[in-house]
């Protein structure tokens, strides 16, 4: 009888834990993504600012507050960084980086060496299909980050609007199918993947700025003194030894993850 009672208690505890997992409310994540240097420089970078959806308004407000003393702007963008507005951009970077350190938001990016992309063999000769696959690769990292049943993630992905014949809805469906196959997820974690105009989102704008900084570091695109100053400002703020290398051994420490998609599976850094 004692053994039966012990087993009853044991299975009761298992049931309670299972129910706790089942009834745990989902965590809603906002992912704001943009790309830099596509079809222009050797290294393509796709980056995303991401965090809990209930923090998005807080991050947006922090950006607005940071740039207001400098007159603000309708759109923050790496290509719009000039000598006269460097301080405004540095203030925006500092504000978001502070929230990265607090855990309110994080930044992940993927770096692709376009000189080693074999579109003929893997992408039906279509670089745009290859780019769509690279975006998929970055977005799928979030499912791998929250792979346990108790995580219960719901992802809302907001991509900077661009001209392409490949539907983001197909990307969403494919992400969910891969997630179900690899992790046994029984529901669709990726609730939305869509394009929006970056002018409507400060978070996409800052994803563009962060991505642009890292792409410039990898491509050596910092001949202008103010651009070089921006790269150094970000590197110091993010507490990284360099921005033109994979952050593998620093991953999870700073909230800034630079992932070099190395075709040879060997760690490399840009020259």
């Amino acid at each position: 009888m004692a053994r039966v009672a012990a087993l009853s208690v044991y299975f009761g505890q298992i049931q309670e834990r299972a129910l706790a997992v089942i009834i745990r409310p989902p965590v809603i994540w906002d992912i704001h993504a943009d790309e830099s240097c596509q079809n222009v420089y050797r290294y393509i970078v796709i980056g995303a600012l991401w965090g809990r959806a209930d923090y998005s308004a807080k991050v947006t407000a922090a950006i607005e507050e940071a740039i207001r003393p400098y007159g603000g702007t309708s759109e923050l963008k790496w290509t719009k960084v000039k000598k006269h507005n460097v301080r405004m951009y540095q203030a925006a970077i500092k504000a978001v980086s502070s929230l990265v350190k607090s855990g309110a938001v994080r930044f992940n990016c993927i770096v692709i060496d376009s000189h080693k992309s074999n579109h003929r063999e893997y992408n039906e000769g279509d670089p745009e299909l290859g780019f769509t696959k690279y975006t998929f690769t970055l977005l799928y990292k979030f499912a791998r980050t929250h792979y346990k049943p108790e995580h219960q993630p719901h992802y809302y992905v907001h991509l900077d609007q661009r001209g392409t014949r490949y539907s983001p809805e197909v990307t969403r469906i494919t992400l969910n199918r891969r997630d179900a196959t690899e992790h046994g997820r029984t529901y669709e974690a990726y609730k939305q993947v869509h394009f929006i105009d970056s002018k409507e989102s400060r978070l996409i704008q800052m994803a563009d700025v962060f991505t642009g900084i890292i792409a410039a570091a990898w491509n050596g695109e910092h001949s202008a003194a103010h651009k070089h100053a921006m790269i150094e400002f970000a590197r110091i703020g993010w507490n990284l030894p360099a921005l033109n290398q994979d952050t593998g051994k620093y991953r999870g420490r700073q909230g800034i993850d630079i992932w070099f998609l190395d075709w040879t599976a060997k760690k490399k850094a840009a020259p």
Side-chain angles (χ1 to χ4, degrees):
M1 290 295 292
R3 185 176 182 182
V4 171
L7 286 172
S8 178
V9 170
Y10 172 73
F11 286 116
Q13 291 173 339
I14 290 178
Q15 186 177 27
E16 287 179 5
R17 292 173 184 171
L19 286 172
V21 170
I22 293 171
I23 66 175
R24 178 175 292 184
V27 178
I28 301 174
W29 300 92
D30 267 341
I31 302 170
H32 294 82
D34 200 359
E35 87 285 345
S36 185
C37 297
Q38 186 186 8
N39 302 323
V40 178
Y41 294 95
R42 175 174 179 175
Y43 294 99
I44 300 169
V45 182
I46 308 171
L49 273 174
W50 62 287
R52 289 173 59 116
D54 50 355
Y55 290 161
S56 293
K58 176 182 178 181
V59 179
T60 299
I63 296 168
E64 296 291 357
E65 183 178 351
I67 67 176
R68 189 176 298 117
Y70 303 93
T73 181
S74 61
E75 184 179 21
L76 294 162
K77 199 173 183 66
W78 171 247
T79 56
K80 293 184 177 183
V81 176
K82 308 296 181 184
K83 288 182 181 179
H84 70 272
N85 61 20
V86 165
R87 290 186 180 277
M88 180 183 71
Y89 276 89
Q90 289 178 337
I93 291 168
K94 184 177 180 180
V96 176
S97 297
S98 177
L99 291 169
V100 168
K101 290 179 180 179
S102 73
V105 67
R106 298 174 67 86
F107 178 78
N108 284 31
C109 71
I110 185 171
V111 181
I112 303 100
D113 185 348
S114 65
H115 288 187
K116 297 184 179 180
S117 298
N118 191 338
H119 297 299
R120 178 176 297 179
E121 182 174 352
Y122 297 106
N123 303 315
E124 302 172 13
D126 185 359
E128 183 59 30
L129 176 58
F131 183 83
T132 300
K133 289 181 178 180
Y134 302 147
T135 301
F136 173 96
T137 301
L138 174 64
L139 296 179
Y140 191 64
K141 281 194 68 175
F142 301 109
R144 286 177 170 161
T145 300
H146 304 120
Y147 67 93
K148 294 181 180 179
E150 61 266 28
H151 286 151
Q152 294 289 301
H154 285 188
Y155 301 117
Y156 289 80
V157 181
H158 317 285
L159 304 171
D160 186 19
Q161 182 70 54
R162 62 187 182 85
T164 178
R165 65 180 179 277
Y166 296 105
S167 167
E169 175 62 12
V170 173
T171 298
R172 186 191 72 83
I173 292 169
T174 309
L175 285 164
N176 284 317
R177 287 177 178 171
R178 174 74 66 82
D179 188 27
T181 300
E182 292 193 359
H183 303 131
R185 193 99 63 189
T186 57
Y187 70 94
E188 292 191 342
Y190 291 87
K191 298 299 183 183
Q192 183 181 48
V193 179
H194 70 141
F195 290 127
I196 65 172
D197 188 340
S198 62
K199 292 181 180 178
E200 300 175 2
S201 170
R202 287 296 192 199
L203 292 171
I204 283 187
Q205 292 170 29
M206 287 308 297
D208 174 277
V209 173
F210 278 35
T211 301
I213 287 171
I214 292 169
W218 278 80
N219 288 300
E221 181 216 346
H222 46 73
S223 56
H226 63 280
K227 288 290 183 77
H228 179 73
M230 285 285 289
I231 294 170
E232 275 300 289
F233 183 85
R235 184 192 66 76
I236 293 170
W238 297 340
N239 194 27
L240 290 171
L243 299 185
N244 64 337
Q245 64 184 37
D246 190 293
T247 57
K249 60 184 178 182
Y250 306 100
R251 189 169 293 133
R253 193 181 76 180
Q254 308 298 342
I256 302 291
D257 182 7
I258 303 172
W259 173 25
F260 178 46
L261 189 60
D262 192 342
W263 307 111
T264 62
K266 295 178 181 178
K267 298 296 182 182
K268 294 191 182 81

